[in-house]
DNA sequence: TTTCCAATTGGAAACGTTTTATATAGCGTG
DNA sequence: CACGCTATATAAAACGTTTCCAATTGGAAA
C-alpha cells in the first residue's frame, strides 16, 4: 500500500525536468541528451517509479494487451494453444486477457464486448463454430481479430489452421492402406465445421478414392471427451459389422476408443487399429502409443499471435489465411507395415 | 474501425443531460429519475455506446482485472486451476490477465511488475517455491495477492491449499495397509516445499508410524512429467530390492510409473500397486484406472479467486489460510481389500 | 562575436471516465 | 404563497499519461 502514488510528475520534479522529458526517457525516445536521461533514470530508480499503464493506455490509445477467447482453457488442446499465444505475446510485450466461452454464442459475444470495452489492441479467437451474430460483431470491431484453429467460414478473417480435410483423408487412407475395407470414424459434433465439413469430407473422400462404400453406421459422434470416445466405441463393438480400423477426431477420444477395445478383450493393434488427431501429450501416455495426426497447437497459437502483431504493426502480410503443415506421427496403435 | 469514438459526452448530448448523469445510468446509480434513465438508456442504445474501461480505470482507480501468475498454463493441473479462477472471476465481473512464469524467479518478478503497472486490482499467484525476492515484491504490492496451490512459506499471505503432508501420509499408509513393507516415492524436486517438506514428510511419517525403515533408495525425484515418472520407475525396477508399492507425486508421473511396470512385463495391481496425486482427468484415462489423492484443482482456483474478491470488497474473512479437504479416490491400480 | 540550425526541453492540451461539490427543480408545509 | 427539503442534475476537477508545438539551448559556421 505504499510507493504507488509516485507519478511521472514526481519524477520530473525530482530530476528537475519536465514530465514530457520523463515520458521520453521512459519510452526510450532518442531525443534526450544522455546526461539528462541518466539524471531522469536515477530519479526513477530512487523513487521506485512504475508507469501507470492505464493512464498510458488512455493517452496513447494502446494498451499492449490482447484478448484471447477460448472455449475452455482446462482442455489440454486449448491450453497448449494459449501457451503458444502467450509466449509470442510476451515476446512482443503484450499481455493476454483470457476468457472462456464454452463455445457458447452469448458468452462469446459478451466476452468480445468486454474485451473491446477494455480497449484491447487485438483479439485472438478460438471456437468450434462462427455464429453469424458473432461475425457481425467481429465486423464492427475497432481492432483486428485473428482466428486460431477455427475455420474462417467464408468470412474474410485472418486465420491460422491446418488442412483438416487433407489430414482426415491422410489418416483414413493410412488405415485403408493397412487392408481395411471398413473404417470407423468417431468425432465431435458435425455442426462444427471442422468436423462436419472438413474431417468428415476428408474421411469420405478417402473411402471413395479407395472405392469403398460409405456406411452411415460407421460414423459416431461424441463430444471430444475420453468418455464419449469410450462410449462410442462400445456402441460400435456391439455391432457385428464393426469396423476394425478407427479414426478418432481427437486424441482424447482415441484413448477412450482404445480402452473400450481393450476392455472388450481385444488387442490394439492386432485386432483393431486406431489413429487419433492432434498429437497432444496424451498420445504417448497410453499403451499402445497412439498413432495420430499432428496438429501443432502450440505453433498455431504462436503463429496466430505473430500474425496479430504483424497486423498491429501494419507490417507486410503475405497471407492472411495461414495453413500450417500437418503430418501423421506413427506409433504403436498401428501395425508395422 | 467505426462506432468506437462515441464517448459518454456524445451520449449526454444525445440524451440532453450531462455526462455525470450518463455515468450514473451506466453504473446503475439509483439517484436518477426513471424517465431520465430511460432517456439515457435509449441514447446509449441508439449510439451503440460502449464505456471505455481504460478511462474508467484511470478515474476510478479500479480496473476490474486481476492478474494470474501460473508456472505453465499448458500443464493440465494449472489449466484446471485457471478455469476455476476464471469462472468465479467472471461471476464477480473481473477479467483475468494470465501470465506464464515457468516457475522462474526473474519471470515471476517481471510479470508481477507488469501486472502492477497495468493496475490490476489483485493477483493470484501459483508457483512451486516462493523466492525471497519475490516475497519482498509481494510485500510492496499495492494490491492484495492470494496464493493458490502454493505454500505460504511462513510468510503471512492469504493462500488456498490442501494438507499435502496429511495427503501423502494417507496415500502411503493406504499402501502400507496393503501389506507392503517397502513403499517407493517418486515425486518432483525437493526444493519445492510442497514436495520437499510436505509430501516427503507425510511419506516418512507414515513409514515411521508403521514401524518401517526409511530407505533413501526408495525415493526418486523427477520433474512431474510422464517421462520422468517412467524413467524413475525403470530405474527402480532395475534394483533387486525394488518396492512393490509406489506413491507418485503426480498423476502424470503415476502414468509413467504404471507404464514402466507394464512395459517390464509386470501387472498393476497384481504385482505392483500405485497411488497417484491430484486426480487429474488422466487418472481415468489409463488401465488400470489410477487410485489417486484428490486435489481439487478447480476448487482451489475458485476458492482462491473468491478469497481475493472478499479481500477486495473488504468483506469479513474468517480465515486467510484456507485448507481444502482432500481424499483418496480408489480405483483399480490398488487391489481390492 | 553573431547567426542559424539542430538538438533538447518544456507547456499544455488531449484521452474518457468518475466523483465531489454545487445548483436547481419539485413539492409538501405552515 | 413563501420556505425549506429532498431528489436530481450539472459543472468542473481530478486520474497519470502521451504528444503536438513552441521555446530554449548549444555549437558550428560565418
Amino acid at each position: 500500500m505504499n510507493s504507488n502514488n509516485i507519478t511521472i510528475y514526481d519524477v520530473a520534479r525530482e530530476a528537475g525536468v519536465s514530465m514530457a522529458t520523463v515520458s521520453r526517457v521512459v519510452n526510450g525516445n532518442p531525443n534526450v541528451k544522455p546526461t539528462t536521461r541518466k539524471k531522469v533514470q536515477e530519479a526513477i530508480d530512487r523513487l521506485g517509479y512504475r508507469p501507470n499503464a492505464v493512464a498510458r493506455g488512455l493517452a496513447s490509445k494502446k494498451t499492449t494487451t490482447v484478448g484471447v477467447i477460448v472455449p475452455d482453457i482446462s482442455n489440454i488442446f486449448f491450453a497448449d494453444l494459449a501457451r503458444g499465444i502467450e509466449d509470442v505475446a510476451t515476446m512482443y510485450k503484450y499481455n493476454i486477457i483470457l476468457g472462456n466461452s464454452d463455445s457458447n454464442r452469448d458468452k462469446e459475444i459478451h466476452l468480445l464486448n468486454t474485451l473491446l470495452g477494455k480497449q484491447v489492441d487485438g483479439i485472438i479467437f478460438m471456437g468450434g463454430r462462427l455464429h453469424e451474430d458473432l461475425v457481425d460483431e467481429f465486423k464492427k470491431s475497432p481492432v483486428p481479430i485473428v482466428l486460431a484453429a477455427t475455420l474462417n467460414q467464408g468470412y474474410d478473417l485472418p486465420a491460422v489452421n491446418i488442412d483438416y480435410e487433407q489430414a482426415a483423408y491422410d489418416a483414413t487412407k493410412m488405415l485403408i492402406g493397412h487392408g481395411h475395407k471398413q473404417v470407423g470414424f468417431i468425432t465431435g459434433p458435425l455442426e462444427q465445421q471442422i468436423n462436419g465439413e472438413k474431417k468428415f469430407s476428408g474421411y469420405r473422400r478417402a473411402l471413395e478414392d479407395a472405392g469403398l462404400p460409405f456406411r452411415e453406421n460407421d460414423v459416431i459422434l461424441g463430444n471430444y471427451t475420453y468418455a464419449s470416445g469410450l462410449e462410442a466405441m462400445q456402441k460400435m463393438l456391439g455391432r457385428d459389422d464393426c469396423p476394425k480400423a478407427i479414426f478418432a477426431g481427437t486424441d482424447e477420444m482415441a484413448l477412450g476408443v482404445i480402452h473400450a477395445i481393450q476392455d472388450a478383450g481385444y488387442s490394439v493393434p492386432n485386432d483393431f487399429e486406431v489413429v487419433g488427431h492432434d498429437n497432444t501429450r496424451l498420445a504417448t501416455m497410453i499403451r499402445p502409443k497412439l498413432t495420430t495426426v499432428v496438429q501443432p497447437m502450440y505453433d498455431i497459437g504462436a503463429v496466430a499471435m505473430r500474425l496479430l502483431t504483424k497486423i498491429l504493426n501494419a507490417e507486410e502480410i503475405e497471407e492472411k489465411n495461414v495453413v500450417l503443415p500437418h503430418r501423421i506421427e506413427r506409433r504403436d496403435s498401428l501395425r508395422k507395415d
Side-chain angles (χ1 to χ4, degrees), chain A:
Chain A
M1 307 292 186
N2 55 27
S3 86
N4 215 50
N5 29 7
I6 293 155
T7 73
I8 199 172
Y9 195 76
D10 299 318
V11 176
R13 184 159 14 79
E14 175 84 9
V17 300
S18 77
M19 59 196 295
T21 300
V22 177
S23 174
R24 286 189 200 98
V25 171
V26 169
N27 294 295
N29 183 314
N31 293 340
V32 182
K33 213 188 336 180
T35 63
T36 309
R37 179 183 303 281
K38 181 146 171 288
K39 200 169 52 176
V40 171
Q41 192 57 57
E42 282 169 0
I44 287 175
D45 294 342
R46 204 170 325 129
L47 265 37
Y49 167 69
R50 173 191 296 135
N52 180 324
V54 172
R56 196 200 298 245
L58 183 59
S60 69
K61 294 172 163 300
K62 302 228 169 309
T63 55
T64 60
T65 302
V66 311
V68 174
I69 299 178
V70 85
D72 178 11
I73 191 66
S74 70
N75 183 135
I76 191 170
F77 182 86
F78 296 114
D80 247 8
L81 244 149
R83 182 57 142 118
I85 295 171
E86 218 263 336
D87 280 0
V88 351
T90 301
M91 208 171 295
Y92 286 85
K93 315 270 188 218
Y94 285 93
N95 287 106
I96 288 299
I97 296 185
L98 182 86
N100 298 106
S101 71
D102 292 314
S103 293
N104 173 113
R105 189 197 53 174
D106 294 339
K107 285 192 196 173
E108 285 172 344
I109 292 180
H110 180 252
L111 206 39
L112 174 64
N113 279 304
T114 306
L115 291 173
L116 293 178
K118 295 226 166 169
Q119 314 298 121
V120 294
D121 294 338
I123 289 178
I124 295 189
F125 178 88
M126 282 151 274
R129 167 165 162 53
L130 246 36
H131 261 276
E132 210 173 315
D133 306 4
L134 222 210
V135 176
D136 289 346
E137 300 280 335
F138 280 178
K139 285 185 188 143
K140 283 188 271 178
S141 168
V143 301
I145 296 177
V146 173
L147 305 180
T150 300
L151 288 174
N152 188 333
Q153 302 163 192
Y155 306 106
D156 181 36
L157 292 166
V160 180
N161 286 288
I162 64 169
D163 184 342
Y164 302 100
E165 204 271 348
Q166 186 63 41
Y169 176 89
D170 294 347
T172 309
K173 186 172 174 191
M174 183 174 275
L175 256 2
I176 292 171
H178 278 218
H180 297 279
K181 298 290 172 222
Q182 210 184 335
V183 177
F185 179 41
I186 295 180
T187 189
L190 288 190
E191 312 87 83
Q192 303 198 175
Q193 209 197 14
I194 284 183
N195 294 297
E197 231 168 86
K198 300 296 175 174
K199 289 185 188 168
F200 188 56
S201 94
Y203 165 73
R204 291 194 64 155
R205 180 160 66 88
L207 289 179
E208 262 169 45
D209 279 11
L212 298 176
F214 164 70
R215 305 166 191 241
E216 192 121 14
N217 267 346
D218 288 351
V219 177
I220 300 192
L221 303 180
N223 64 355
Y224 299 126
T225 63
Y226 173 84
S228 82
L230 190 89
E231 198 184 329
M233 192 61 209
Q234 284 169 341
K235 205 180 298 176
M236 214 166 257
L237 284 164
R239 295 206 286 261
D240 35 83
D241 65 338
C242 174
K244 295 287 195 290
I246 307 289
F247 172 41
T250 274
D251 284 349
E252 196 173 321
M253 295 183 93
L255 293 218
V257 166
I258 289 178
H259 282 152
I261 293 169
Q262 293 171 338
D263 290 352
Y266 298 106
S267 149
V268 177
N270 297 325
D271 304 323
F272 287 79
E273 294 189 287
V274 179
V275 175
H277 194 289
D278 289 350
N279 195 34
T280 56
R281 313 181 55 213
L282 294 176
T284 56
M285 295 193 198
I286 186 166
R287 294 305 139 92
K289 290 180 190 153
L290 184 67
T291 292
T292 189
V293 173
V294 179
Q295 170 167 36
M297 290 90 62
Y298 180 93
D299 296 354
I300 291 180
V303 170
M305 183 66 210
R306 178 64 185 108
L307 179 55
L308 182 55
T309 63
K310 282 186 186 169
I311 297 174
L312 291 173
N313 300 334
E315 291 177 38
E316 189 70 31
I317 290 164
E318 55 296 336
E319 174 60 59
K320 281 174 47 172
N321 206 139
V322 181
V323 177
L324 259 26
H326 67 269
R327 64 189 173 81
I328 296 184
E329 177 73 33
R330 293 207 52 163
R331 299 203 185 87
D332 311 331
S333 66
L334 224 57
R335 291 192 284 274
K336 308 270 181 241
D337 288 319

